[in-house]
Amino acid sequence: MITIRCGEHSFPNIRAVVFDKDGTLADSGVFLRQLGQRRARLIDAKVPGVDQPLLLAFGIEGTGLNPAGLMATGTRQENEIAAAAYIAETGRSWTESMAIAQSAFAEAEPSNQPKAPQTPIFKGASDLIQTLKTNSLKLGILSSDTTAHVAEFVQYYELGSAIDVAMGTDLPPAKPDPTLLHHISQKLDVSPDSILVVGDSTVDVQMAHQAGAAGCIGVTWGWSSPLDLADAEAIAHQFSDIQVAHS
């Protein structure tokens, strides 16, 4: 068994560490803001006047991105439903509203470049992952992004030899539903109470607690604006704050 330390807090008897991706391992802020802007612009071309409310709903504020907003923490489906709701407010049927949102989201996807190169891995992430793996810990990624994008990220940054399970959220439920962590615990073949979650948002903290995990380390390096992670057992301001020791 391994003890993970972060600051003054120790997490004993850890068998696996599950990371969030965007904002935790991947520097995704610029990509997500630009993607949200494209989505809003394409929808506004079909439904004039909804671009500004949509941007606020997505968490896009000027040149920044709200780390607690929909683009940062929500799944694609949750963002589509939110966009469709604003479209439906103009009097269109729900079926038409969803069709407009889904069409705009598909068109907004960059066609000339995969996502992974546009969401660079944070400096220090690979070193921590390799340290954890060297200490015989099982490792997973559980993201609100699609499974395809998570797999692409793992492959592009050559994490495949260390990451045992790479899982996205293609269908409901979404974070913080504890069944997601229960599912990945089954894939890792460890009990939830031996899993340490590392993430950048309140949904990661809530999921860890509701699933009965060993705890959650909240990380602060992913975004320019401050995050409210007061319920996390420990806070890491850099990857080196997360230390490994045998118990």
Side-chain angles (χ1 to χ4, degrees):
M1 289 290 193
I2 300 296
T3 294
I4 305 289
R5 295 192 179 95
C6 182
E8 297 181 356
H9 195 93
S10 294
F11 301 89
N13 303 320
I14 301 300
R15 295 185 60 198
V17 178
V18 172
F19 292 92
D20 173 57
K21 181 173 72 70
D22 293 314
T24 300
L25 297 177
D27 187 356
S28 307
V30 172
F31 173 87
L32 292 174
R33 178 170 54 81
Q34 292 176 347
L35 178 61
Q37 289 171 331
R38 286 197 298 270
R39 289 171 174 175
R41 185 169 60 249
L42 287 166
I43 292 173
D44 190 69
K46 298 179 180 179
V47 188
V50 300
D51 57 335
Q52 289 305 312
L54 274 176
L55 289 172
L56 289 175
F58 290 155
I60 298 171
E61 304 165 352
T63 59
L65 181 71
N66 182 352
L70 263 176
M71 287 299 298
T73 64
T75 64
R76 179 190 176 105
Q77 184 181 51
E78 287 173 330
N79 276 268
E80 284 181 347
I81 291 171
Y86 279 93
I87 297 168
E89 282 190 346
T90 66
R92 289 166 172 79
S93 71
W94 183 246
T95 300
E96 182 185 5
S97 299
M98 279 299 297
I100 292 171
Q102 289 169 348
S103 174
F105 274 46
E107 188 177 348
E109 294 292 336
S111 59
N112 61 342
Q113 190 177 19
K115 180 178 179 180
Q118 302 173 79
T119 56
I121 191 168
F122 283 113
K123 183 179 180 181
S126 294
D127 290 341
L128 175 61
I129 287 171
Q130 293 304 323
T131 297
L132 297 174
K133 198 64 180 177
T134 300
N135 282 275
S136 301
L137 286 161
K138 294 185 177 182
L139 303 180
I141 296 175
L142 177 54
S143 173
S144 294
D145 203 352
T146 65
T147 298
H149 281 156
V150 178
E152 176 195 301
F153 179 83
V154 169
Q155 180 180 20
Y156 187 84
Y157 293 104
E158 300 179 344
L159 304 175
S161 62
I163 300 297
D164 299 290
V165 177
M167 197 171 105
T169 310
D170 302 295
L171 297 170
K175 292 179 181 180
D177 194 301
T179 58
L180 290 168
L181 196 64
H182 291 160
H183 187 198
I184 202 168
S185 76
Q186 292 172 0
K187 288 179 172 289
L188 291 169
D189 193 28
V190 299
S191 61
D193 63 2
S194 67
I195 293 177
L196 176 62
V197 175
V198 179
D200 68 307
S201 73
T202 56
V203 294
D204 295 308
V205 180
Q206 291 168 3
M207 179 184 67
H209 293 169
Q210 292 173 20
C216 182
I217 295 176
V219 305
T220 63
W221 52 71
W223 311 98
S224 56
S225 56
L227 293 160
D228 180 10
L229 297 170
D231 290 335
E233 282 75 14
I235 301 294
H237 300 291
Q238 51 194 0
F239 283 99
S240 60
D241 290 342
I242 303 172
Q243 301 285 330
V244 181
H246 289 278
S247 60

